Amino acid sequence: MLALRDLSVTFRGYPVLRNLSFDLASGETLGLVGESGSGKSMTALALMGLLPPGFEAKGSIRLRGTELLGLPDKALCRLRGRAMAMIFQEPMTALNPVLTVGAQIAEGLVLHGLMDPRAAMAEAIRLMERVGLPDPARRARSYPHELSGGQRQRAMIAMAISCRPAVLIADEPTSALDVSLQVEILALLREIRAETGMAMIFISHDLSVISAMADRALVLYGGLAMESGPVRPVIDRPAHPYTQGLIAAIPRGTAHTHRLSPIRGQVPDLASLPPGCPFAGRCTLGDARCAGTPPPLRSGLTQIHCHHAEPVPA
Amino acid sequence: MIPLLEARHLHHAYPLPRQGLFERRRRIEAVRDVSFRLEEGRTLGIVGESGSGKSTLARLLVALEKPRGGEVLFRGERISGLPEKRIRPVRPLMQMIFQDPFGSLDPRMRIGESIAEPLGVAEPWLEAGERAGRVAAMLEKVGLQPAMMSRYPHQFSGGQRQRIAIARALITRPALLVADEPVSALDVSVQAQILNLLFDLKLEFGLSLVVISHDLAVVRYLCDEVIVMEGGRVVEQAETGRLFAAPQAAYTRALMAAMPLPPDARPGTDPAGGDISPG
């Protein structure tokens, strides 16, 4: 349904995303994993046609056969919300502070000509009930600041699913929430996915959240896909040194008995990435070839971009 | 033995905005009846969700705020509710680091000056050369190069800034370090570096640590004992091993069930050889 081919994004000549390719079928969830600056949010913005000024995208994004890259703004507007919708980490900045929550949820339905305002408001209240907001008829007249963090996130989910999008992009939707709320929101997203059959792109830095939500995982670093494949092998039997490092760095045991194995060095800024593998400078296997030449794609149980590591045989 | 830090029936409340002109001003009870003892060289974790009162408790412990009830003892001496003048001599011995090192470092100060600043209060008699020497040595201890002394905070990454904040906190050779969400803002790959560093420095300096975190994996990793807070109250208090092996309070169990870890790293099934037995 959604097909990315060699999607590259540059900012003032610096690569932000490099030749990203993946397919997504209805009902399927792809987990995008990465640290800050890995390009995961840029991927989401490129998909939505919302790249900030100065960013240039090349390659191909096809949604149900329609090429999205280079589509005029007006046509994109018709697709946004209907074909693709997005939820963000911080609902307070994504919601309009001077509009009631109900009006914001209903807005998309009216804008896309699906319902008249009265029916749209009734649908908004139904959606608010569906996402578990208490007393939805009254809550619909509330402003975002009157809702708690978890309630705002529920309202944003209601808004995103109002026009039954084919693809829902969730960018760190639970990272700003307490763990107990996080569990509830993830459960809600799974239920809605099952009900609507929509495809999801789930973005997170947290591998455990990815493992709970995604069918497949794609690990990004410095704008390049380090490893991708079915979620279990990527997490349980990673082949790429970066994925291995990420998993080894998760705190486990106690400091008295178990020393953590961090990845050495710092997450580099985009301007200082080598032309070859972006992970070259921090990798235990990295050498001159890694820094100079983009790594080849190799397939096994998972797919990796690496000069040295062997893919786990399928 | 006199504990390094002791909290006795601590209470704290913040006033809420007045609802109407003649309404009574209501308060929110942020900390309710919290008591514990922390021995020298031990690490205490304070766990809870946002609004549970853990950061307020931290501020009470290092006398950044005066409790409305109860007292804080540092090496057996009361430090709570005293005028600032009488707390000042103790301040260099109790330091604090925060979640966002960018917010806690002066952006217009070279990091060498930032790190040296607490020394000006603690050991004002030091000469410039000695101070610079102490800063250089401290930078090396936190894994940075002494030559970086003349740079500004914006020239560092998040992980490096947290190292700078740690250097600034430890330069006065404190006995107690309170770390409020020390790794929450850092990327996973860098988080582990800072956790290793905190543990190494704790051993080297004989520090007692109070670690505040919403992340149970971080707390389990660093702490000898844990306090679980909910709504300002302590709902459970136990040695780390015992807490994770057999959590008693329903709230603790709920937090653990929600613990964001890959299945292979959940408590009880740790294949990496991490110690999960009590003690």
Side-chain angles (χ1 to χ4, degrees):
Chain A
M1 181 176 62
L2 180 71
L4 257 74
R5 289 291 170 272
D6 289 323
L7 177 68
S8 294
V9 174
T10 52
F11 178 67
R12 294 190 185 139
Y14 295 121
V16 178
L17 266 187
R18 311 186 194 187
N19 300 324
L20 187 64
S21 300
F22 62 77
D23 292 305
L24 190 66
S26 302
E28 194 185 23
T29 299
L30 175 73
L32 279 185
V33 193
E35 300 184 277
S36 51
S38 61
K40 54 195 197 305
S41 291
M42 279 303 150
T43 309
L45 293 179
L47 281 168
M48 294 291 289
L50 290 173
L51 282 176
F55 286 82
E56 273 181 72
K58 275 192 317 200
S60 157
I61 306 172
R62 295 182 84 85
L63 180 71
R64 289 171 168 157
T66 310
E67 177 60 53
L68 299 187
L69 274 192
L71 216 57
D73 239 7
K74 229 175 168 178
L76 271 174
C77 255
R78 277 198 297 274
L79 288 173
R80 261 183 233 133
R82 274 212 81 169
M84 281 187 300
M86 188 161 169
I87 53 180
F88 299 87
Q89 175 173 355
E90 198 16 270
M92 200 53 203
T93 50
L95 292 171
N96 186 340
V98 298
L99 266 186
T100 63
V101 174
Q104 294 186 58
I105 298 170
E107 191 180 24
L109 290 164
V110 178
L111 230 55
H112 288 296
L114 297 174
M115 284 178 193
D116 64 64
R118 182 183 292 268
M121 190 50 95
E123 173 67 6
I125 291 169
R126 192 194 68 78
L127 284 164
M128 289 175 73
E129 187 166 17
R130 175 63 199 92
V131 297
L133 281 167
D135 197 359
R138 202 170 59 85
R139 275 275 167 251
R141 292 192 299 272
S142 304
Y143 290 89
H145 76 268
E146 298 174 286
L147 271 53
S148 70
Q151 288 175 339
R152 274 182 222 137
Q153 199 56 282
R154 287 175 196 275
M156 194 154 65
I157 292 172
M159 197 160 94
I161 61 169
S162 63
C163 299
R164 302 194 159 263
V167 183
L168 179 70
I169 303 171
D171 189 359
E172 303 265 10
T174 60
S175 304
L177 301 176
D178 280 323
V179 273
S180 55
L181 274 176
Q182 180 171 324
V183 173
E184 289 175 22
I185 297 290
L186 293 182
L188 173 66
L189 284 171
R190 274 195 298 261
E191 283 168 31
I192 288 171
R193 179 180 61 191
E195 275 170 33
T196 58
M198 65 186 177
M200 259 171 84
I201 296 178
F202 199 96
I203 300 174
S204 181
H205 67 280
D206 188 336
L207 281 166
S208 60
V209 172
I210 294 288
S211 78
M213 292 301 292
D215 306 305
R216 284 185 300 134
L218 194 154
V219 183
L220 276 172
Y221 184 86
L224 185 68
M226 299 275 105
E227 182 155 9
S228 67
V231 69
R232 292 289 8 138
V234 169
I235 291 175
D236 297 337
R237 303 177 66 192
H240 198 285
Y242 175 65
T243 322
Q244 290 170 351
L246 261 191
I247 288 164
I250 297 172
R252 59 191 75 195
T254 86
H256 294 285
T257 58
H258 190 88
R259 190 154 180 90
L260 297 180
S261 342
I263 300 175
R264 62 189 172 149
Q266 307 285 337
V267 179
D269 58 66
L270 289 169
S272 51
L273 287 180
C277 177
F279 190 53
R282 301 180 72 192
C283 184
T284 45
L285 306 176
D287 57 19
R289 179 165 59 132
C290 295
T293 319
L297 181 67
R298 301 160 76 189
S299 292
L301 198 53
T302 62
Q303 295 194 308
I304 55 172
H305 272 116
C306 187
H307 286 292
H308 296 287
E310 288 298 327
V312 177
Chain B
M1 201 172 88
I2 300 170
L4 177 79
L5 186 72
E6 187 175 358
R8 289 184 184 161
H9 305 291
L10 278 180
H11 281 271
H12 199 57
Y14 293 109
L16 289 172
R18 215 183 279 270
Q19 292 295 313
L21 193 55
F22 301 105
E23 292 278 319
R24 250 185 89 231
R25 201 178 256 279
R26 291 186 306 156
R27 292 177 207 288
I28 179 146
E29 301 279 334
V31 171
R32 313 181 196 199
D33 198 18
V34 173
S35 301
F36 67 84
R37 294 156 69 98
L38 177 65
E39 308 291 340
E40 299 264 359
R42 301 269 289 174
T43 302
L44 171 76
I46 304 176
V47 187
E49 307 211 306
S50 46
S52 63
K54 52 192 197 305
S55 289
T56 305
L57 178 59
R59 296 173 61 82
L60 294 177
L61 294 180
V62 294
L64 288 174
E65 268 184 73
K66 290 183 180 160
R68 291 181 56 85
E71 52 185 8
V72 179
L73 306 175
F74 186 80
R75 288 187 168 143
E77 305 269 341
R78 185 163 67 93
I79 55 162
S80 54
L82 296 180
E84 181 58 33
K85 220 169 116 187
R86 290 195 39 208
I87 306 174
R88 201 165 295 148
V90 197
R91 288 227 182 269
L93 298 175
M94 327 179 288
Q95 294 286 350
M96 192 159 173
I97 58 172
F98 300 90
Q99 171 172 354
D100 173 17
F102 207 48
S104 54
L105 291 169
D106 186 334
R108 288 167 305 178
M109 233 188 223
R110 294 176 196 278
I111 62 136
E113 297 165 40
S114 269
I115 295 171
E117 203 181 20
L119 275 182
V121 182
E123 301 171 51
W125 54 83
L126 283 185
E127 285 168 30
E130 287 176 287
R131 269 172 45 151
R134 286 274 288 276
V135 171
M138 200 62 230
L139 276 171
E140 273 188 337
K141 284 215 189 308
V142 299
L144 295 172
Q145 287 136 29
M148 293 174 168
M149 203 184 288
S150 53
R151 294 195 198 160
Y152 290 93
H154 73 264
Q155 293 171 287
F156 294 91
S157 69
Q160 288 173 322
R161 285 200 289 262
Q162 198 56 287
R163 289 174 193 268
I164 296 164
I166 292 170
R168 178 182 150 99
L170 297 188
I171 192 102
T172 58
R173 304 188 186 284
L176 173 71
L177 179 67
V178 176
D180 191 353
E181 301 278 5
V183 295
S184 309
L186 302 177
D187 278 315
V188 190
S189 70
V190 177
Q191 215 180 67
Q193 296 174 358
I194 299 297
L195 290 176
N196 278 344
L197 178 69
L198 274 175
F199 189 70
D200 292 345
L201 292 174
K202 171 195 130 82
L203 294 182
E204 186 177 342
F205 285 69
L207 279 174
S208 304
L209 276 177
V210 174
V211 177
I212 296 156
S213 183
H214 68 281
D215 187 338
L216 286 171
V218 167
V219 166
R220 179 171 63 144
Y221 185 72
L222 279 180
C223 301
D224 305 308
E225 49 211 296
V226 182
I227 285 178
V228 183
M229 290 187 74
E230 183 189 15
R233 264 185 244 280
V234 173
V235 292
E236 188 159 6
Q237 189 163 359
E239 229 167 285
T240 309
R242 196 173 314 148
L243 184 88
F244 281 87
Q248 298 300 311
Y251 182 67
T252 315
R253 285 200 293 268
L255 280 182
M256 280 182 194
M259 196 168 160
L261 274 178
D264 76 318
R266 277 192 189 280
T269 57
D270 193 340
D275 180 15
I276 51 151
S277 60

